[in-house]
Amino acid sequence: MASLSPVPRAFYDRDTVEVAHDLLGAFLVHDVAGEARVGKIVEVEAYLGEMDLAAHSSKGLTPRTRILFGPPGFAYVYLIYGIYCCLNVVTEREGNACAVLLRALEPVRNLRDRTQGPGLLCRAMGVDLRQNGRDLESPDFFISRRDENEPRQVVARPRVGVDYSGIWAAKPLRFYLDGNPYISRK
């Protein structure tokens, strides 16, 4: 694994599905109390803005979704079921309200807990609501590029838990690395 450094903002300022694909194999890094926790991103879901009925932004701009409508390259963290945090990275230009949810990591360094599923991923990485709105170019919380020489096969499937979103429920906007044992589900 090469030296880890944040990807530039331009990485996120692109089509959300392209960013989702390019995040697979990249490394999420979070320094927690002087300990760098590192995981390889192996599963993600793309959320395509206000038109996407599964996206939080489909309800428009609210205090909760403000981060989604902001510039790309920032963390959108929210709570589900009152106990689990979920980490998204904001994509595309300001105002588009698009993001990619990180669903699973392959442990690389200093991860002792399970990382399959967005809530477990956040718990293992020490990500909570304090990271909501954090710049992903920060020296202690960032995503680093994947190894371009590492072969990978990307699988596309419908997203998990969005049956309420009509035609959006069946769209293949969940992506994962084929054969990786750390994905949350097939």
Side-chain angles (χ1 to χ4, degrees), residues 161-175:
V162 296
D163 294 340
Y164 59 86
S165 64
I167 62 168
W168 288 92
K171 293 194 181 291
L173 293 171
R174 176 175 159 250
F175 307 100

Side-chain angles (χ1 to χ4, degrees), residues 113-156:
D113 298 321
R114 290 186 54 218
T115 56
Q116 295 107 319
L120 294 174
L121 177 160
C122 284
R123 183 174 287 164
M125 288 295 294
V127 172
D128 58 33
L129 294 175
R130 292 174 293 183
Q131 281 72 48
N132 188 40
R134 288 282 311 273
D135 187 340
L136 289 169
E137 287 188 305
S138 301
D140 63 341
F141 186 53
F142 62 89
I143 292 173
S144 186
R145 287 195 189 279
R146 68 182 180 88
D147 179 355
E148 297 289 336
N149 296 318
E150 188 176 299
R152 65 189 187 132
Q153 179 81 28
V154 175
V155 176

Side-chain angles (χ1 to χ4, degrees), residues 18-182:
E18 288 179 21
V19 173
H21 274 260
D22 289 346
L23 283 170
L24 292 171
F27 299 94
L28 176 63
V29 180
H30 187 205
D31 186 293
V32 179
E35 178 183 74
R37 297 183 187 184
V38 181
K40 183 196 293 188
I41 300 167
V42 298
E43 181 181 358
V44 297
E45 290 180 350
Y47 289 86
L48 306 182
E50 290 182 273
M51 66 182 174
D52 181 346
L53 298 180
H56 288 180
S57 56
S58 68
K59 305 291 188 229
L61 179 62
T62 68
R64 179 184 189 193
T65 63
R66 178 184 54 79
I67 301 300
L68 285 172
F69 285 84
F74 286 80
Y76 171 58
V77 180
Y78 59 90
L79 198 60
I80 57 169
Y81 310 124
I83 50 174
Y84 292 111
C85 286
C86 293
L87 170 62
N88 295 256
V89 298
V90 177
T91 60
E92 299 192 20
R93 68 178 170 76
E94 190 166 349
N96 278 16
C98 299
V100 177
L101 170 67
L102 304 187
R103 283 197 56 82
L105 298 175
E106 177 180 322
V108 174
R109 189 182 309 147
N110 299 319
L111 293 178
R112 295 164 197 82
D113 298 321
R114 290 186 54 218
T115 56
Q116 295 107 319
L120 294 174
L121 177 160
C122 284
R123 183 174 287 164
M125 288 295 294
V127 172
D128 58 33
L129 294 175
R130 292 174 293 183
Q131 281 72 48
N132 188 40
R134 288 282 311 273
D135 187 340
L136 289 169
E137 287 188 305
S138 301
D140 63 341
F141 186 53
F142 62 89
I143 292 173
S144 186
R145 287 195 189 279
R146 68 182 180 88
D147 179 355
E148 297 289 336
N149 296 318
E150 188 176 299
R152 65 189 187 132
Q153 179 81 28
V154 175
V155 176
R157 295 279 189 268
R159 295 174 292 192
V160 175
V162 296
D163 294 340
Y164 59 86
S165 64
I167 62 168
W168 288 92
K171 293 194 181 291
L173 293 171
R174 176 175 159 250
F175 307 100
Y176 61 86
L177 295 178
D178 192 30
N180 189 286
Y182 292 96

